[in-house]
Amino acid sequence: MNAPAANELPVVVIGAGPIGLAAAVHLIDRGIEPLVLEAGATAGAAVRAWAHVRLFSPWGEVVEPAAEKLLAPTGWTRPAPDTYPSGGDWAEQYLRPLADALGDRIRLGARVTGVSRSGRDRIVDAGRDRQPFVVHVTHTDGREERILARAVVDASGTWSTPSPAGADGLPALGEKAAADRITYRVPDLKDPAVRARYAGRRTAVVGSGASAFTALSSLADLAKSGDGAGATAVWVLRRGLSAGTFGGGDADQLPARGALGLAAKAAVDEGHADAVTGFRTEAVERDAEGRLVLVGEDGRRLDAVDEVIVLTGFRPDLGFLDELRLGLDERLQAPTGLAPLIDPNQHSCGTVYPHGHRELSHPEPGIYLVGMKSYGRAPTFLAMTGHEQVRSVAAALAGDLEAADRVELTLPETGVCGGAGLFDDPAAAQSDPGGCCATPEPTMVRLGAGAPADGEAAGGGCSS
């Protein structure tokens, strides 16, 4: 049997989340047939896992405009653009109808286990670029399948691979053994069973981004409720408190994101959470009563807690791409062309520039990492950025380089600066003239209501 011509093969899209579905829409617009492979039982499975969390981007920024054309004949009505969906709203009111419109172009319960070139492992040069991609899939019933593709767009995200509590990027000693008391997701405190787990107990929140803000403000709300009295939190940060610890506040052009940081600050100001700064977790131990004790690299031991919420970011799963020749930044695990634009070691105030197929390309032609996965370990991804990525990639795959290179996105100013990396180093933060925050010595503090954060700088702050 003759193998099909490359242009007769589909473009395989890995992941039926927001960016994977947007990629499928743009490919269809370009006359290219997509095949979307989703490991979960539904489209947007990862988004549904955080259904209780509200986005800080409004509906107007999380709906792909090209998808509206596909949805229009179905009678779909776009939600009010200036309102803010929860993850559940996003999944049910947009992703599900979009997946229904895409129909049998989506295969659910199909987990990608490997991607390569047909008949070529990663060391073989001869005829490599002329071979189609081969995608190995395992279905929920155990059946295995081998699919040929003209190109592969990996929009599988990072949800399945959260980062650990250990400050060195590895699980802290004892972290795995304490798994019954640790979660790596923002808990849904509206769920009675989850609420009971944290009510009246002391919880450590490890992390310094928007997810940590959400957890802190939720725990504060629990503490103020009738059934959650006595709930307290300790906020564990690897750096010191500063003006930017709580994000951009009123200066953030994504107002909901700014409000989220202010809510976390209120939790600390009102005494519902203590902030422990300069603490890098080395071990998780149990005391005589079975409670957890976090131990720092400097030997400090925090007071025992009942639960730990680890929100230190996510990282990409690159294992199933091991037979491809990827060009990835050694720090961020993002494409080498994109990494300088998003690297939190170097970025100060401003935005991530819109980018497309060129920044997302690899030594292996025809493979693109998009969406959250394209950012590797960087934390600053916005859905709008992903929509622009897949628009450009689809145009490039169709051979329309003029459109692929055109910028069709304006991102909002964040109103914050800094990030991880160098800002974990007090000397670097103090000596960098482009920086905005000096990092205090490790300490436990409680902010008084209305008091400025330690190290506050006029006119700006550092992001976390």
Side-chain angles (χ1 to χ4, degrees):
M1 180 181 296
N2 293 328
N7 60 5
E8 297 175 354
L9 296 173
V11 170
V12 164
V13 178
I14 305 174
I19 308 307
L21 295 181
V25 169
H26 280 288
L27 289 167
I28 292 169
D29 275 356
R30 290 285 177 175
I32 300 173
E33 192 64 19
L35 176 59
V36 183
L37 303 175
E38 167 58 48
T42 62
V47 175
R48 291 179 183 276
W50 48 270
H52 57 290
V53 178
R54 190 160 300 281
L55 280 70
F56 51 64
S57 294
W59 271 114
E61 295 178 2
V62 298
V63 171
E64 165 55 60
E68 294 189 62
K69 294 188 296 183
L70 189 65
L71 287 167
T74 70
W76 180 80
T77 302
R78 180 176 181 168
D82 57 349
T83 59
Y84 293 85
S86 66
D89 296 334
W90 201 18
E92 191 60 27
Q93 298 179 39
Y94 170 61
L95 300 180
R96 183 188 59 77
L98 183 54
D100 289 345
L102 289 167
D104 58 9
R105 293 183 174 97
I106 300 176
R107 296 186 189 176
L108 301 174
R111 180 175 298 278
V112 173
T113 57
V115 182
S116 186
R117 290 280 187 179
S118 181
R120 306 290 190 275
D121 64 23
R122 68 183 295 161
I123 68 171
V124 177
D125 290 333
R128 185 177 191 86
D129 291 354
R130 296 191 298 274
Q131 293 300 111
F133 288 93
V134 59
V135 181
H136 284 217
V137 180
T138 299
H139 296 270
T140 50
D141 60 3
R143 177 173 55 90
E144 294 182 312
E145 186 179 8
R146 187 173 181 268
I147 299 171
L148 297 181
R150 61 184 286 188
V152 176
V153 178
D154 183 358
S156 59
T158 57
W159 179 254
S160 63
T161 47
S163 295
D168 49 17
L170 303 174
L173 299 178
E175 183 172 345
K176 293 181 180 179
D180 60 320
R181 297 289 187 89
I182 300 176
T183 182
Y184 298 86
R185 309 288 191 269
V186 176
D188 182 3
L189 296 183
K190 293 181 181 178
D191 181 319
V194 176
R195 194 175 182 84
R197 176 174 175 174
Y198 296 94
R201 300 194 175 189
R202 182 171 171 81
T203 300
V205 177
V206 184
S208 57
S211 294
F213 294 166
T214 302
L216 287 167
S217 59
S218 296
L219 289 169
D221 288 342
L222 176 65
K224 290 182 282 189
S225 68
D227 62 340
T232 59
V234 55
W235 187 15
V236 181
L237 300 102
R238 294 170 184 169
R239 67 187 67 177
L241 284 174
S242 69
T245 297
F246 300 97
D250 294 336
D252 199 319
Q253 288 192 16
L254 290 173
R257 180 170 56 187
L260 192 60
L262 295 177
K265 184 177 186 301
V268 177
D269 288 346
E270 295 168 4
H272 300 297
D274 292 323
V276 177
T277 62
F279 190 93
R280 293 167 169 80
T281 306
E282 180 179 86
V284 180
E285 299 178 356
R286 290 186 188 265
D287 67 7
E289 299 177 353
R291 303 176 79 202
L292 301 184
V293 176
L294 301 187
V295 182
E297 292 180 347
D298 57 3
R300 285 185 297 160
R301 302 170 66 87
L302 301 186
D303 292 341
V305 298
D306 301 288
E307 301 286 343
V308 179
I309 303 173
V310 179
L311 301 168
T312 53
F314 294 85
R315 54 188 59 179
D317 176 8
L318 300 167
F320 63 83
L321 302 175
D322 196 48
E323 290 303 320
L324 298 178
R325 298 174 178 181
L326 301 181
L328 297 173
D329 180 77
E330 67 274 12
R331 293 163 298 173
L332 297 185
Q333 296 179 295
T336 53
L338 174 60
L341 303 180
I342 62 175
D343 188 351
N345 285 288
Q346 299 179 15
H347 268 257
S348 186
C349 297
T351 63
V352 173
Y353 293 106
H355 53 274
H357 72 110
R358 296 193 186 278
E359 292 84 0
L360 298 170
S361 64
H362 294 274
E364 189 86 63
I367 172 71
Y368 297 96
L369 278 58
V370 300
M372 280 289 295
K373 191 163 187 176
S374 72
Y375 272 46
R377 299 192 185 198
T380 52
F381 179 78
L382 293 174
M384 295 170 69
T385 303
H387 294 160
E388 174 70 356
Q389 288 179 341
V390 296
R391 182 203 63 78
S392 174
V393 166
L397 290 173
D400 187 352
L401 294 184
E402 180 182 356
D405 290 334
R406 191 166 57 238
V407 173
E408 297 185 5
L409 172 66
T410 301
L411 290 170
E413 294 285 344
T414 64
V416 297
C417 66
L422 291 181
F423 281 96
D424 283 343
D425 180 354
Q430 292 168 358
S431 63
D432 179 7
C436 54
C437 309
T439 306
E441 290 300 311
T443 185
M444 175 181 282
V445 299
R446 176 171 292 162
L447 301 182
D454 216 13
E456 183 168 353
C462 302
S463 71
S464 298

